[in-house]
């Protein structure tokens, strides 16, 4: 597997508030990484620092070997190749993940909706970043959207998915990252994280969000 996105010693402060603290993460081509963790732990800020919607305070983010923080780096090209699906994407008048991904060519390439629709996933994104894509959805749509995401994963799409859907993380992720208080507390294969978490912080989070088995 080839390293696609590499995050090194990433930090982010808002004023005195240290939201991300020395995050290190390599995402390989074709890998599905799910990020779980409590509210306020920095998950959204992390995704926003990856695609430079937020300027990191320290560290580097590389995409295919290029440092995105470099002044000469063409961030538009990165955004054309790496789509972001936002938490409240149903605020767009478009309702499915595939349609939402079509927003990118409409916005950045000035296609009309029909043109974009004619080539759904027209930009053939190389990777997709999802920020709790189902948390603001009509409950009836959640299963459909998770199914679309599952088929994207099966087709080999590289995906970073911040999610509260523990079932999705367990079934679909190649790797699960547990974040709390701006740190990556623990990462591993889903079976290891969900059945035998090593860190107390992970154990206490999972004991609250997973149904009791006893
Ligand atoms: P999560 O997605 O895990 O819930 P966030 O990344 O949204 O966490 O937020 C992490 C922390 O950073 C929170 O304390 C939040 O209030 C703060 N934060 C996020 N964005 C900003 C911002 N633009 N300005 C100031 N504080 C922010
Ligand atoms: Mg968030």
């Amino acid at each position: 597997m080839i390293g696609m996105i590499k995050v090194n010693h990433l930090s982010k402060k808002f004023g005195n508030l240290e939201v991300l603290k020395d995050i290190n993460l390599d995402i390989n081509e074709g890998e599905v990484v799910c990020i779980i963790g409590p509210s306020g732990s920095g998950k959204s800020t992390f995704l926003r620092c990856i695609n430079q919607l937020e300027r990191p305070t320290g560290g580097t983010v590389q995409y295919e070997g290029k440092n995105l923080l470099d002044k000469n780096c063409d961030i538009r090209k990165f955004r054309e190749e790496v789509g972001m699906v936002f938490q409240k994407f149903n605020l767009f008048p478009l309702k499915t993940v595939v349609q939402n991904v079509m927003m990118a060519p409409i916005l950045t390439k000035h296609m009309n909706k029909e043109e974009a629709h004619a080539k759904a996933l027209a930009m053939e994104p190389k990777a997709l970043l999802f920020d709790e894509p189902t948390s603001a959805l009509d409950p009836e749509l959640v299963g459909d959207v998770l199914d679309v995401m599952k088929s994207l994963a099966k087709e080999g799409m590289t995906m970073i998915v911040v999610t509260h859907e523990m079932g999705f993380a367990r079934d679909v992720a190649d790797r699960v990252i547990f974040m709390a208080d701006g740190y990556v507390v623990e990462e591993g294969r889903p079976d290891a994280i969900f059945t035998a978490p090593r860190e107390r912080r992970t154990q206490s989070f999972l004991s609250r969000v997973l149904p009791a088995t006893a």
Side-chain angles (χ1 to χ4, degrees), residues 80-191:
E80 284 181 8
E81 294 186 7
V82 181
M84 177 120 168
V85 179
F86 294 95
Q87 192 162 23
K88 295 198 171 106
F89 72 93
N90 63 333
L91 294 178
F92 291 135
L94 302 166
K95 287 280 187 190
T96 69
V97 168
V98 172
Q99 284 171 323
N100 186 63
V101 168
M102 280 164 39
M103 286 304 286
I106 295 168
L107 295 175
T108 66
K109 287 187 173 164
H110 309 292
M111 282 184 197
N112 67 36
K113 223 171 16 178
E114 286 67 34
E115 284 173 316
H117 198 154
K119 327 178 213 162
L121 297 170
M123 306 185 57
E124 294 174 27
K126 293 189 178 173
L128 291 170
L129 313 179
F130 294 88
D131 191 358
E132 295 186 21
T134 59
S135 65
L137 277 184
D138 183 325
E140 274 189 297
L141 290 175
V142 170
D144 294 348
V145 169
L146 292 176
D147 285 346
V148 172
M149 292 170 69
K150 269 182 206 167
S151 46
L152 286 168
K154 257 201 202 124
E155 287 161 21
M157 180 65 75
T158 308
M159 294 162 62
I160 306 179
V161 184
V162 172
T163 187
H164 290 308
E165 299 281 347
M166 297 300 146
F168 178 87
R170 194 181 342 218
D171 294 347
V172 182
D174 297 303
R175 189 149 50 113
V176 174
I177 310 282
F178 173 66
M179 276 184 72
D181 306 321
Y183 291 102
V184 171
V185 173
E186 184 165 356
E187 66 174 282
R189 294 181 53 83
D191 51 353

Side-chain angles (χ1 to χ4, degrees), residues 42-73:
K43 305 180 299 297
S44 295
T45 304
F46 180 47
L47 288 189
R48 293 168 62 80
C49 282
I50 290 179
N51 80 347
Q52 306 300 302
L53 288 172
E54 294 287 355
R55 181 98 189 149
T57 310
T60 58
V61 179
Q62 284 176 291
Y63 172 67
E64 293 186 334
K66 294 198 185 71
N67 182 5
L68 298 180
L69 281 81
D70 193 321
K71 275 203 303 279
N72 303 317
C73 182

